[in-house]
């Protein structure tokens, strides 16, 4: 085996991990893939005789690339039409994925991470999700260890205030999602109301490309009516008879995909309150964000 093969083999060993880091930092599968590809280019050109720990070195590269990309895309997100939601990904349901792995890649968590500064986001993800030490993170983000500790504290408090931790019962959540799916596709308004928290919020992301609500839709009756109408009205020019709905694993939890004969037209994912009722629904319909799901690509969300 020549040196180039060895280099590529080492990179491939960590490729899934690098995507996991980049996706949590960026909330975009396309941007995460680009960051991983750019990391490969930098890895190929590096003097690897000076690299003592390939994993740490590659995480440092992809973290830098992701932070740079976050800074450059921040303006686009500030002028985005309607609510901005992350780009959904299909996840594999790997039995070794932990609750933390799934929670850290959920739509709700990625929305919260979007409110952090690029530095705080990188520090939070590397410390709380991937369990890197403060010293390792300081090396990765080129800050002092003291600065990293301060950023970690700020980020942790910020996330804790906006993302209460509930005991996650994935089986119970899947059951609620399956019941919601049956009620929505069957137009069963009463069952939908039973499953929704009274102050449930529906976030719809069309990005100005397709017609969606430009503000959050709040309240069980309004949200239930929205979904009960799925089987009776056309959506993005697709008649109900031509639309297919299916349950899949999206971002570490059970979600729904709506498809036309030729394309995916929307994904729907759920967040739950302490009683197991649906407290938030994230509906991504911007076609620019459905590429990864449309390709059928499954991503590992493992952090180890």
């Amino acid at each position: 085996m020549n040196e180039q093969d060895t280099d590529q083999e080492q990179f491939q060993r960590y490729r899934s991990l690098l995507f996991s880091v980049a996706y949590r930092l960026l909330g975009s599968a396309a941007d995460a893939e680009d960051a991983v590809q750019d990391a490969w280019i930098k890895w190929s050109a590096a003097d690897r005789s000076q690299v003592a720990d390939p994993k740490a070195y590659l995480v440092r590269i992809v973290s830098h690339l992701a932070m740079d990309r976050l800074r450059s895309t921040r303006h686009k997100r500030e002028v985005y039409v309607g609510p901005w939601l992350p780009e959904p990904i299909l996840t594999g349901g790997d039995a070794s994925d932990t609750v933390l792995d799934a929670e850290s890649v959920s739509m709700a968590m990625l929305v919260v991470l979007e409110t952090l500064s690029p530095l705080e986001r990188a520090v939070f993800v590397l410390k709380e999700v991937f369990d890197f030490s403060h010293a390792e993170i300081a090396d990765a983000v080129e800050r002092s260890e003291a600065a990293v500790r301060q950023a970690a504290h700020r980020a942790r408090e910020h996330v804790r205030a906006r993302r209460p931790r509930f005991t996650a019962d994935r089986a119970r959540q899947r059951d609620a999602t399956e019941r919601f799916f049956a009620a929505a596709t069957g137009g069963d308004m009463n069952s939908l109301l039973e499953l929704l928290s009274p102050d449930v919020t529906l976030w719809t992301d069309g990005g100005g490309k397709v017609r969606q609500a430009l503000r959050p839709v709040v309240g069980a009756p309004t949200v239930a009516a929205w979904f009960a109408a799925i089987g009776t009205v056309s959506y993005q020019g697709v008649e109900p008879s031509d639309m297919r709905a299916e349950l899949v694993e999206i971002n570490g939890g059970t979600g729904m995909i709506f498809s036309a004969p030729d394309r995916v037209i929307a994904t729907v994912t759920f967040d739950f309150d302490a009683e197991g009722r649906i407290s938030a629904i994230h509906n991504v319909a911007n076609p620019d964000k459905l590429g990864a799901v449309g390709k059928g690509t499954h991503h590992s969300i493992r952090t180890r």
Side-chain angles (χ1 to χ4, degrees):
M1 183 182 292
N2 61 38
E3 186 177 341
Q4 187 174 6
D5 289 338
T6 304
D7 296 340
Q8 188 158 2
E9 189 178 89
Q10 278 194 314
F11 185 84
Q12 290 300 330
R13 183 186 310 160
Y14 299 114
R15 186 182 186 100
S16 177
L17 175 69
L18 297 181
F19 177 87
S20 285
V21 171
Y23 179 70
R24 286 170 171 87
L25 289 181
L26 292 164
S28 162
D31 286 349
E33 292 286 11
D34 287 346
V36 172
Q37 187 58 35
D38 289 346
W40 162 247
I41 294 170
K42 287 182 175 290
W43 170 253
S44 299
D47 178 4
R48 281 170 302 283
S49 66
Q50 304 299 311
V51 177
D53 184 345
K55 176 184 173 183
Y57 183 85
L58 286 166
V59 168
R60 182 168 73 242
I61 290 175
V62 86
S63 297
H64 263 295
L65 291 165
M67 288 171 66
D68 287 345
R69 195 173 288 261
L70 262 183
R71 294 185 185 103
S72 67
T73 58
R74 180 140 291 202
H75 174 68
K76 292 180 183 177
R77 296 184 185 181
E78 288 172 352
V79 298
Y80 195 79
V81 178
W84 180 93
L85 292 176
E87 179 183 354
I89 57 172
L90 299 174
T91 49
D94 190 325
S96 59
D97 288 344
T98 67
V99 169
L100 174 61
D101 292 344
E103 161 68 12
S104 67
V105 82
S106 69
M107 283 280 173
M109 177 60 84
L110 292 175
V111 167
V112 172
L113 293 181
E114 186 65 17
T115 62
L116 298 173
S117 72
L119 174 63
E120 289 169 345
R121 186 167 184 168
V123 170
F124 181 87
V125 167
L126 293 176
K127 183 74 182 80
E128 300 296 323
V129 181
F130 291 91
D131 200 29
F132 282 84
S133 69
H134 289 113
E136 289 170 322
I137 298 168
D139 188 38
V141 300
E142 295 184 341
R143 297 289 198 282
S144 70
E145 195 169 333
V148 164
R149 287 182 183 277
Q150 288 180 341
H153 177 74
R154 288 195 307 270
R156 193 163 48 245
E157 292 300 307
H158 182 96
V159 171
R160 187 177 294 153
R162 290 161 178 77
R163 183 78 184 134
R165 294 301 301 270
F166 299 127
T167 302
D169 184 337
R170 295 174 79 175
R172 187 178 175 190
Q173 292 179 2
R174 179 176 177 83
D175 177 65
T177 304
E178 289 173 348
R179 289 164 58 204
F180 184 94
F181 177 82
T185 53
D188 186 344
M189 184 80 172
N190 289 333
S191 292
L192 288 170
L193 286 169
E194 288 176 8
L195 293 163
L196 298 172
S197 171
D199 56 354
V200 62
T201 303
L202 166 64
W203 304 84
T204 65
D205 180 346
K209 305 293 179 69
V210 296
R211 188 176 179 184
Q212 290 287 302
L214 296 180
R215 291 183 178 84
V217 179
V218 181
T222 310
V223 173
W226 175 292
F227 281 97
I230 283 175
T232 63
V233 296
S234 63
Y235 183 71
Q236 296 185 30
V238 181
E239 293 301 320
S241 58
D242 294 325
M243 195 184 305
R244 182 167 60 93
E246 60 181 318
L247 283 170
V248 295
E249 186 179 302
I250 303 175
N251 287 72
T254 308
M256 299 162 59
I257 290 180
F258 292 91
S259 303
D262 60 339
R263 70 190 191 281
V264 171
I265 56 177
T267 64
V268 177
T269 54
F270 304 90
D271 200 21
F272 298 85
D273 64 18
E275 284 74 46
R277 295 173 303 187
I278 295 169
S279 58
I281 303 175
H282 299 98
N283 172 207
V284 179
N286 182 346
D288 294 344
K289 295 185 178 182
L290 297 173
V293 172
K295 290 175 186 173
T297 305
H298 284 73
H299 291 279
S300 169
I301 57 172
R302 296 175 64 180
T303 56
R304 300 292 178 269

